[in-house]
Amino acid sequence: MDAIIVGIGSDEKAFDALGIDYGEVLASIYWPDWITQGDKVKSALEGLYSVPEALERAETLCSLWAFNRIVISIQDREIWRDEWGKLRDEEGYD
C-alpha cells in the first residue's frame, strides 16, 4: 500500500489469433489512500495511457505524494518492451 501501481495489459495475442491488428499496449495508474506530510491523498485510478506516458505520470505522482515506489502489474511479461526501461528480476509484491 506504499506504491503507485502501473497496470499494463494487452489483448494482442487474442487479436493476433483472429488476424486483427491490435494497436498499442495501454496502461492505467492506481494509487491507494495515502497520508503524506499530514495530508490525505485519496485513492484513484487514471488511464488509459500509452505505457511511456503512464510511467512518466507515475514517476511524477510518486515524487509529488512521496510514495515509496512504483510497482508494475503486467498481464504478460512478454509484452514489456526494452525501451520502457528495465523490470526487476523478482516477480510479485513484497
Side-chain angles (χ1 to χ4, degrees):
M1 301 311 290
D2 64 344
I4 301 282
I5 300 169
V6 176
I8 302 171
S10 171
D11 292 327
E12 187 172 9
K13 285 183 181 180
F15 277 74
D16 283 348
L18 296 171
I20 301 170
D21 184 33
Y22 176 73
E24 188 175 13
V25 174
L26 297 174
S28 58
I29 303 168
Y30 167 79
W31 58 91
D33 286 339
W34 182 250
I35 304 292
T36 180
Q37 300 172 5
D39 294 326
K40 182 173 183 178
V41 176
K42 289 193 60 87
S43 64
L45 175 68
E46 289 185 355
L48 296 169
Y49 294 102
S50 71
V51 174
E53 290 172 325
L55 295 171
E56 184 177 326
R57 176 78 171 138
E59 287 283 348
T60 299
L61 294 173
C62 198
S63 295
L64 178 67
W65 293 328
F67 276 90
N68 295 324
R69 59 197 173 130
I70 296 171
V71 172
I72 305 298
S73 175
I74 192 164
Q75 178 183 3
D76 184 341
R77 199 173 180 100
E78 291 180 13
I79 64 176
W80 185 261
R81 298 186 185 140
D82 290 339
E83 64 263 23
W84 297 337
K86 181 164 173 31
L87 289 176
R88 295 181 75 178
D89 290 333
E90 55 274 356
E91 295 182 18
Y93 297 100
D94 290 333

